[in-house]
Amino acid sequence: MRMKSSEEIYISPNHLAKAPGYSCANSPLGQNSPSSTAQLQTKYMPGNKYSFNSSTPRTRLERLLRERELRKFNQSFHLSNEARDGNWGGDPYGSDSLNEGDNFGIQNEEEFPEGFTEGRTTSKQRLLVVANRLPVSAVRKGEDSWQLEISVGGLVSALLGVKEFEARWIGWAGVNVPDEIGQKALTKALAEKRCIPVFLDEEIVHQYYNGYCNNILWPLFHYLGLPQEDRLATTRSFQSQFDAYKKANQMFADVVNKHYQNGDVVWCHDYHLMFLPKCLKEHNIEMKVGWFLHTPFPSSEIHRTLPSRSELLRSVLAADLVGFHTYDYARHFVSACTRILGFEGTPEGVEDQGKLTRVAAFPIGIDSDRFVRALELPQVQNHIKELKERFAGRKVMLGVDRLDMIKGIPQKILAFENFLEENPNWRDKVVLLQIAVPTRTDVPEYKYYEVLVVAAAISTLRLAPQGESIGLTMKDQKLTSQVHEIVGRINGRFGTLTTVPIHHLDRSLDFHALCALYAVTDVALVTSLRDGMNLVSYEFVACQASKKGVLILSECAAQSLGAGAILVNPWNITEVAASIGYALNMPADEREKRHWHNFMHVIAHTSQEWAMTFVSELNDTIFEAELRTRQVPPLLPTKDAIERYLQSNNRLLILGFNSTLTEPVDNIPGRRGGQIKEMELKLHPGLKEPLKNLCDDPKTTVIVISGSDRGILDDNFSEYNMWLAAENGMFLRFTTGEWMTTMPDNLNMDWVDSVKHVFEYFTERTPRSHFELRETSLVWNYKYADIEFGRLQARDMLQHLWTGPISNASVDVVQGGRSVEVRAVGVTKGAAIDRILGEIVHNRGMKAPIDYVLCIGHFLGKDEDIYTFFEPELPSEPAAAARTKVVEPVKTSSTKVPSSKSGSKASRSKKHQAPSTLEKRTCNSRSAGGSGWRPTTVRENTSLHEGSSVLDLKTDNYFSCAVGRKRSKARYLLGSLDDVVTLLKDLAEFSRPC
C-alpha cells in the first residue's frame, strides 16, 4: 500500500491499552503524556526522506530505515485489526508445557499453528531455515507410519510473525532411519509441516553431535576449555570428530542444494553448522547465506586453542551476514578473524582482499504478546490466586534456570544466604522460589569431559527437541547434590516449622503455571555465569504489568535490559546480596520507572522483529555486495589474452614479484612461525620453466619490477634473459648487464637518516616487526606483530613522522595492509616505467613497436599508476590510427611541499602527478633509433631513453591484472598466485620454438 505524502499513520498508545495487563496509564509518563505518545508514534510527512513517496534510498542506512518504517506501518494495521476484531484474548497456542529450553514459555502441540501451515503465495521470498534439529519429534508407529510432535519455540514463534516470507525448515529429525521406506514416509509426513529432513546415521550423530558439537565446541564457546585427559587419544578423537562434523555439514548442504530455488534466503543456525556456509557457497556463489550463533563466542585467546580454529572461521566467513546476540560476541569473532587469520577487521565486519563479510549483533526477543494475553486466561488467573494466598505477607523472589553449571544456581543461593545473614528482619518476610529444570540423560556420559553440557547448545534458539538438554549423569547428580545440600543447610538454619526461606523444585512447569509465577514475583534473579541470550528476564518483564517487580540480572549473561535491571557480577556474592536488599526495599516510583524501560524494550524487540531485522539486513548485505562487485575488476579472459598474445609480433610482459611470482607460504604448517621463511622471497618453483621459455622467446620482452632491493632480484632471476627493475624501478639492468639508475639526478634523500631513527625506535617497541632500508625508501613491516598493537604503533609512528622528520620533506608516505613506507616523491612504478622502456629500446634496438602488453602484479595503490600508464584512451581519431603515449617532462625539483596526512606530501587540493603522467599530442612522425618503423604520434620533449614512443598498442591488446586485489585500477583480476602460475604456463606453451 502506498500512502500520499499528506497522510499520517501512527500506532496509538491505545492499541497497547487494549492488550490485557498493560496500558499507557501504567506508564510513569502518564496516559496522555506527549512523551509517551512520541515513543509509539511514527509520522510520514512531506519532506521526510524515509516516507513512502521519497526517492530511492541511496545509502545502506537509508534503506534499512525505510525497511524499518515499512514494517512498523504493517504492524500498525495488524494491531488495529486485532483490536477491532476483539482477538486480544485467549492463547492462540492452546495448552502449553515447559520444554528443555531457556525460553520457559514453550508449548508442545500436535499441529503447527494455523498461520504456519497455511499455503502462502509464491510471490513471497522463501526462507530456508537450517538448524541442527527440526522443530518436531518423530515417533515411528509402523513401517511407513510416523507420529510428529511439534514444539513451537522461540525461532518458530519469531517466524510466525514474519508475513513477508515463506519459511521452510531443514534439519535432523532426531531419529535414526536406516531404511528407505521409513525415510520416504517421514519425508512425506514432515512435508505437510513445511519441514525437510536430513538423515544422519548413528555413527555420524555420535561423532558430530555428541562428540564435536557438544564435547568440544559447546564447552569452548562457554569458556570451559577443551578436554585435557589423555592428550594423544584426545587429539586423535578431535580429528575423527571434526571429520564427522564436516561430513555432517556437507550432508546438510546437499539437502539445501536439492531444495534451493533462485532468490531463496538460507539462514543457518548455531555452532552445529559452522561449516555449512562454505559448503553452500562452493556449490552456488550467488546463494544468499546468513549464519547466526545462539551461544557466546569466546575471545580470540580462547578460540585459538581449538585445533580447527582457522577452518571454522574461514567457513563462517563464507556467509554474507554473520549474526550474534551481543556486540561483545561479534567483537570477539572479528578479533579472532584478525588475530588468527590476519584478515582486516572493519566497523562493518571482516574484509579479505575486497570480500566483505558483514558481522553484526541481533539481540533476540520473545513473543511478548503471547505472555501478555496469557495473563488473562482463567487457568492462569487461578494459579495467580493460589500463589498469592500461599505466599501472603511475604516477598517472592524467583529463579528459573536449567540445572547447569553455567547458570550460577549455587552462587545465587549463596548470595541469598548472605542476604539473610545480614538482614535478620527479612528472614520470615521473603521466600526464594528456585525452579531448576533437570537435564535429560538420553545422551551417554562423554569420555573426556566432566563439566555438565546442556541445551544441545541452541539454548536460546529453543527448538525443542533441539533445545533438549544433554548432560553427564555423574556431573548432573553432583550438581544436584550440591544445590540440595546448600538449600537444606539454609532452610535448616533460617526456616521454621511453618515456613522455609527457599522452595527448590527439580522439575519443569507448564506454561500457564510459569506465567502465574512470573506475575506474582517481586524480584527475579538471573545469575548466569556465561550464557547466550537468557530470555527468562524477558518473560518475567512481559508478565509484570501489574506487579512491576525488580529484575536482578547477571552482567555475564547476554542481555539488553541493562537500563531497567540491576546488573551484578554473579561471582561477587556480597554484591548480589546487597542488590537483593536494594531490590526488596526499592521505592514504588523507581520500580515503575525501571519496569517501564524494561517493558518498552521487550515489546519493541520481539522475536519476530529479530527475525525480520536479520533477514532484512541479509538482503541489504547482498545488495551492498552487488554494488561493490560492480567496482571489482572482472576476471581475466584468459583465452582472449592468449589469442592476442599469439597474434602479436612484439610482446611486453611486466610482472610484479612479491605475491605474484613468489613461493606461497600460507600453506606452510604453523604459518605464524614462518616469518623468517616468508621474509626470504623465493621464486615459485612452478614458474621456473615457464619463465625460461617466455624469456627465450625473441618476440617477448619480460620485465620483473619490484619494490625489493637489487640483491633479492639477482638471487632469483640472474639465470633468465629478462629485465630487472628494483626499488620500484629506480634501478634497472638486463640480467647479463650491470645495474643502472633511472632516478632523477637531483632526487633529495636528506630525510633518510631521521626516518631511519624513527623506524628503529618503533621496531624495538613492536615485537616481531622489522624494517628495510633501501636506497630510495624505508619500509616498516608489522605483518607478524599482534595486529591490533601493530595498528596502534603504525598510527603513532605516522603522527610522529608527519609532525617531525618529514614535516617539510619532499616524500610520500605509503601505507600498506601491514606496512608503512616512506619514499621520495615520484618514486613509483608508473613513474619509472617510461624511462625503463626507453632504456630497453635503446639496448635491444627494437625493429617493431610493442603491440601487446600484459602487466600482472600485487601492487600497492600508490604503484598502480603502472596500470594507467598503458591504458589506451578513448580514440578521438579513426580507429585504425596507432596510439602512442606522451609524458610530461620529468620533475626533479627538490622543492619542499606542504605536508598532507593522506599519505602524500603533495598539495591537499591537487594530487601529486608522477613524472610519467601521460597526455596525447599529435606531432610529426619520425623514426626511433633508425629502426625503420614510424609511429603516428610521439611525445613532447621526447628522447631516446623515454620509451612510450615505442608503443603501438590497441586497447584489445592491453591486459592489466591485479593479483588478489579486488580494489584496483587494473582492468582485470587474477584471484590468486595459482592463477598466475596457470596463465604463465599456458603462455609458455606457445612460446616454445617449434
Side-chain angles (χ1 to χ4, degrees), residues 753-820:
D753 288 339
S754 58
V755 173
K756 177 185 175 183
H757 292 319
V758 175
F759 278 19
E760 288 175 341
Y761 172 74
F762 279 91
T763 300
E764 293 172 358
R765 289 182 59 194
T766 312
R768 302 192 72 178
S769 67
H770 65 279
F771 81 94
E772 301 174 50
L773 176 61
R774 302 170 182 171
E775 294 190 49
T776 58
S777 65
L778 289 91
V779 181
W780 182 67
N781 191 300
Y782 58 94
K783 180 177 182 179
Y784 300 96
D786 180 272
I787 185 63
E788 295 181 6
F789 182 62
R791 288 173 181 165
L792 292 174
Q793 292 292 81
R795 186 169 58 188
D796 193 11
M797 171 191 285
L798 290 171
Q799 185 176 3
H800 181 74
L801 289 174
W802 281 323
T803 59
I806 63 172
S807 58
N808 292 313
S810 183
V811 298
D812 285 330
V813 178
V814 183
Q815 299 182 52
R818 303 284 190 275
S819 65
V820 176

Side-chain angles (χ1 to χ4, degrees), residues 41 44 110 161 169 230 241 264 276 646 813 906 969:
Q41 180 172 291
Y44 300 93
E110 293 301 320
W169 298 75
D230 191 5
Q241 291 175 1
D264 287 355
L276 183 57
L646 295 175
V813 178
K969 299 177 183 177

Side-chain angles (χ1 to χ4, degrees), residues 524-807:
L525 274 170
V526 178
T527 56
S528 300
L529 307 180
R530 183 72 58 182
D531 221 340
M533 178 63 76
N534 192 305
L535 297 181
V536 169
S537 56
Y538 282 66
E539 297 172 355
F540 166 73
V541 169
C543 296
Q544 280 287 309
S546 175
K547 196 84 171 183
K548 297 179 176 58
V550 181
L551 174 64
I552 299 177
L553 185 60
S554 168
E555 61 187 23
C556 298
Q559 45 78 27
S560 303
L561 295 174
I566 300 175
L567 297 182
V568 295
N569 176 3
W571 294 99
N572 190 336
I573 303 301
T574 304
E575 179 188 356
V576 178
S579 298
I580 292 175
Y582 182 74
L584 291 172
N585 293 287
M586 184 178 293
D589 59 339
E590 182 179 351
R591 288 204 319 269
E592 192 168 351
K593 289 178 181 178
R594 285 178 177 270
H595 171 69
W596 171 255
H597 283 289
N598 287 340
F599 187 81
M600 292 306 297
H601 181 90
V602 169
I603 65 172
H605 297 81
T606 62
S607 54
Q608 293 87 354
E609 183 67 19
W610 165 76
M612 275 301 305
T613 300
F614 186 91
V615 177
S616 175
E617 292 229 13
L618 176 57
N619 280 319
D620 192 78
T621 298
I622 300 297
F623 180 77
E624 282 282 318
E626 292 174 352
L627 294 180
R628 286 193 302 272
T629 301
R630 297 174 188 174
Q631 302 172 1
V632 174
L635 294 176
L636 174 70
T638 305
K639 182 178 179 180
D640 190 35
I642 295 175
E643 288 180 356
R644 296 285 178 176
Y645 176 87
L646 295 175
Q647 296 170 4
S648 57
N649 296 313
N650 192 6
R651 311 145 183 160
L652 177 65
L653 305 186
I654 302 176
L655 307 175
F657 181 44
N658 195 2
S659 300
T660 305
L661 304 178
T662 50
E663 181 181 9
V665 294
D666 285 344
N667 295 329
I668 299 175
R671 175 182 178 275
R672 287 291 178 179
Q675 177 177 356
I676 300 300
K677 184 173 180 63
E678 188 167 350
M679 290 172 60
E680 298 174 355
L681 299 177
K682 298 293 184 182
L683 178 65
H684 193 293
L687 287 174
K688 292 182 177 180
E689 183 178 351
L691 269 181
K692 187 177 187 305
N693 293 335
L694 290 171
C695 293
D696 291 343
D697 185 352
K699 291 185 177 182
T700 304
T701 301
V702 179
I703 305 174
V704 173
I705 185 167
S706 172
S708 302
D709 59 36
R710 291 173 281 177
I712 292 178
L713 296 188
D714 284 337
D715 292 342
N716 285 279
F717 300 103
S718 57
E719 61 187 73
Y720 301 96
N721 296 320
M722 65 169 58
W723 288 87
L724 304 178
E727 298 203 23
N728 298 306
M730 295 298 104
F731 296 95
L732 177 70
R733 84 173 180 102
F734 194 69
T735 48
T736 58
E738 299 295 327
W739 283 101
M740 64 190 79
T741 182
T742 63
M743 290 188 295
D745 294 335
N746 57 348
L747 193 66
N748 188 345
M749 302 293 291
D750 295 340
W751 48 268
V752 172
D753 288 339
S754 58
V755 173
K756 177 185 175 183
H757 292 319
V758 175
F759 278 19
E760 288 175 341
Y761 172 74
F762 279 91
T763 300
E764 293 172 358
R765 289 182 59 194
T766 312
R768 302 192 72 178
S769 67
H770 65 279
F771 81 94
E772 301 174 50
L773 176 61
R774 302 170 182 171
E775 294 190 49
T776 58
S777 65
L778 289 91
V779 181
W780 182 67
N781 191 300
Y782 58 94
K783 180 177 182 179
Y784 300 96
D786 180 272
I787 185 63
E788 295 181 6
F789 182 62
R791 288 173 181 165
L792 292 174
Q793 292 292 81
R795 186 169 58 188
D796 193 11
M797 171 191 285
L798 290 171
Q799 185 176 3
H800 181 74
L801 289 174
W802 281 323
T803 59
I806 63 172
S807 58

Side-chain angles (χ1 to χ4, degrees), residues 4 181 320 393 499 518 637 677 716 772 805 867 887 925 929 961 982:
K4 298 180 180 180
I181 295 178
D320 300 293
T499 61
Y518 283 141
K677 184 173 180 63
N716 285 279
E772 301 174 50
Y867 297 140
V887 70
S925 300
C961 306
T982 301

Side-chain angles (χ1 to χ4, degrees), residues 142-213:
E143 184 180 15
D144 59 352
S145 175
W146 291 87
Q147 177 182 341
L148 302 181
E149 297 179 359
I150 307 301
S151 301
V152 181
L155 186 57
V156 179
S157 298
L159 297 176
L160 283 175
V162 180
K163 308 298 183 182
E164 290 80 359
F165 300 97
E166 177 186 341
R168 295 179 183 272
W169 298 75
I170 298 176
W172 177 45
V175 292
N176 180 34
V177 190
D179 59 299
E180 185 176 351
I181 295 178
Q183 290 183 3
K184 289 183 177 179
L186 181 57
T187 301
K188 182 179 180 181
L190 289 172
E192 298 177 1
K193 311 301 181 186
R194 295 189 178 273
C195 292
I196 302 169
V198 178
F199 294 104
L200 305 176
D201 59 50
E202 291 183 352
E203 180 61 24
I204 288 290
V205 171
H206 175 69
Q207 293 281 338
Y208 145 73
Y209 181 64
N210 299 337
Y212 197 78
C213 291

